[in-house]
Amino acid sequence: MQPHPDMRRFELNGQARYDRTYRTPIIESVTGIAGKTFIDLGCGRGYESYSVAAHGAQAVLGVEGREAFLEVGRSGARYLGVEERVQFAAYDVRRIDEYGLPKADVVLHFGLLYHMDNPFNQLKHVRNICAGDLLLETQIAPLSFEGADRAQIAQLSDLSTVYLDGVAFEGRALDYVEDPAQAKGSLDRQRVFWLTVASVQKALDLAGFEVLLTVHNHIPAHLQPWGELLGYHQKRLKAFFHARVKDPSVTLPVEAGRIEGLESARFSFEAYQGLRRWRKRLGHWWRKRELS
Ligand SMILES: C[S@@+](CC[C@H](N)C(=O)[O-])C[C@H]1O[C@@H](n2cnc3c(N)ncnc32)[C@H](O)[C@@H]1O
């Protein structure tokens, strides 16, 4: 059987392998894999789902809003011979606790939070399907644009306060304008809200999780050497969190999401760049003046 062309491939001793992603060793190190149940939210092509199954997970559910991606995940599971332990479902993660799913030992939440316009509300839904650990990796709203990669930040708004379900969070808005044929981000073409690191921690806490580990910029020794692969070359723009549900026996109803302030976020990146250019010019002029 041939691997699906979209299965994630990596090299080990010069050999092509498909049974793990760069995140597999991190999941192994932080929560363990063998014998645990997993829900992989926004699983895309299902790489992590079939990967944790191949590494001994008891049962895995990959959840993805785009049916076409799930086919890659299913074929990956078949290729690795783990199809009995991996299911895939086209559910909406924004109301993931409304499908009657049993709670999972570990919820994977990779590359998903920043596709939400109300990340806080989404995390409350996640709490209701989590019996233990949450591993969350997301893009982060940097506190300043200083030193950040222009391509990454050009579309982000100024740092703003947005009220999600009545609670204040800091972050930056971003308008998703994707070609629907190529789209792999938000299900709707919409304005989403990237939280700062402190606001992700606050959202996790208020949603009912205890934050056990935050990895941002600095990679702790026990996550080396794979940490580099989690996208930390993007420095301040990405972070990884390990959280644990505070009271797994409780399932709380989640109110309909409320968002205030998102539409009024200001996008002044170009003006900011202009200001930097002027500051630089003024600096040159000042130094020249001092030398003469
Ligand atoms: C950037 S991809 C991340 C994929 C994968 N978890 C990874 O990190 O490689 C985000 C995924 O979330 C899915 N997604 C976005 N909003 C969703 C929603 N409301 N319900 C289900 N899936 C959603 C997208 O279709 C996309 O596949």
Side-chain angles (χ1 to χ4, degrees):
M1 185 187 177
Q2 286 296 311
H4 189 285
D6 283 343
M7 275 184 78
R8 189 162 277 173
R9 175 185 192 280
F10 74 102
E11 301 247 331
L12 194 68
N13 300 329
Q15 300 271 312
R17 300 255 313 253
Y18 298 88
D19 63 343
R20 72 170 189 178
T21 70
Y22 55 82
R23 289 173 179 136
T24 317
I26 295 179
I27 302 168
E28 182 68 81
S29 151
V30 178
T31 62
I33 296 176
K36 301 213 171 196
T37 59
F38 284 81
I39 297 179
D40 182 8
L41 293 175
C43 70
R45 294 175 177 86
Y47 309 132
E48 269 73 50
S49 304
Y50 59 69
S51 174
V52 289
H55 283 78
Q58 187 196 114
V60 186
L61 177 70
V63 174
E64 168 55 49
R66 291 186 167 87
E67 181 67 53
F69 286 174
L70 295 178
E71 265 321 298
V72 182
R74 289 187 186 108
S75 75
R78 281 196 297 276
Y79 177 78
L80 294 171
V82 292
E83 67 270 35
E84 285 186 1
R85 283 182 283 124
V86 195
Q87 303 275 307
F88 287 97
Y91 294 153
D92 189 333
V93 301
R94 290 168 295 187
R95 45 190 185 86
I96 192 60
D97 52 346
E98 295 174 12
Y99 299 95
L101 301 173
K103 293 188 183 193
D105 298 328
V106 185
V107 174
L108 304 180
H109 197 297
F110 295 145
L112 180 67
L113 197 69
Y114 65 99
H115 290 303
M116 303 287 123
D117 56 1
N118 190 338
F120 178 41
N121 192 268
Q122 202 266 334
L123 287 174
K124 293 186 216 171
H125 287 281
V126 174
R127 172 204 46 211
N128 284 340
I129 56 148
C130 185
D133 296 288
L134 169 69
L135 299 180
L136 187 152
E137 182 200 315
T138 184
Q139 294 290 122
I140 285 295
L143 293 181
S144 92
F145 284 153
E146 218 58 59
D149 172 2
R150 186 185 194 289
Q152 289 276 338
I153 60 174
Q155 295 149 299
L156 290 176
S157 78
D158 301 354
L159 211 56
S160 3
T161 301
V162 165
Y163 290 83
L164 304 175
D165 302 349
V167 180
F169 292 95
E170 300 293 312
R172 296 179 188 270
L174 180 141
D175 285 323
Y176 257 96
V177 189
E178 286 188 307
D179 169 1
Q182 307 281 327
K184 59 182 171 64
S186 300
L187 286 191
D188 314 321
R189 307 174 84 199
Q190 62 182 0
R191 178 167 288 189
V192 294
F193 191 52
W194 291 22
L195 299 170
T196 60
V197 169
S199 281
V200 176
Q201 291 168 330
K202 177 176 175 179
L204 283 167
D205 178 45
L206 295 178
F209 291 97
E210 183 188 356
V211 180
L212 303 175
L213 169 75
T214 300
V215 182
H216 184 53
N217 295 339
H218 173 71
I219 302 159
H222 74 285
L223 290 190
Q224 295 281 5
W226 327 285
E228 275 308 323
L229 296 167
L230 269 172
Y232 295 130
H233 57 282
Q234 296 183 42
K235 297 289 178 205
R236 291 176 294 130
L237 294 176
K238 229 169 178 183
F240 175 81
F241 303 84
H242 173 209
R244 186 160 294 147
V245 76
K246 287 177 194 164
D247 188 350
S249 64
V250 170
T251 301
L252 294 171
V254 182
E255 74 275 36
R258 279 182 295 128
I259 305 173
E260 289 142 82
L262 187 55
E263 288 312 314
S264 52
R266 286 175 54 234
F267 289 77
S268 50
F269 181 76
E270 293 306 330
Y272 165 82
Q273 285 293 87
L275 200 72
R276 271 170 53 129
R277 270 196 299 277
W278 272 108
R279 260 183 27 203
K280 226 172 171 174
R281 268 187 217 158
L282 211 65
H284 284 316
W285 172 80
W286 190 255
R287 272 193 298 279
K288 253 165 104 181
R289 195 175 154 271
E290 278 190 332
L291 289 174
S292 62

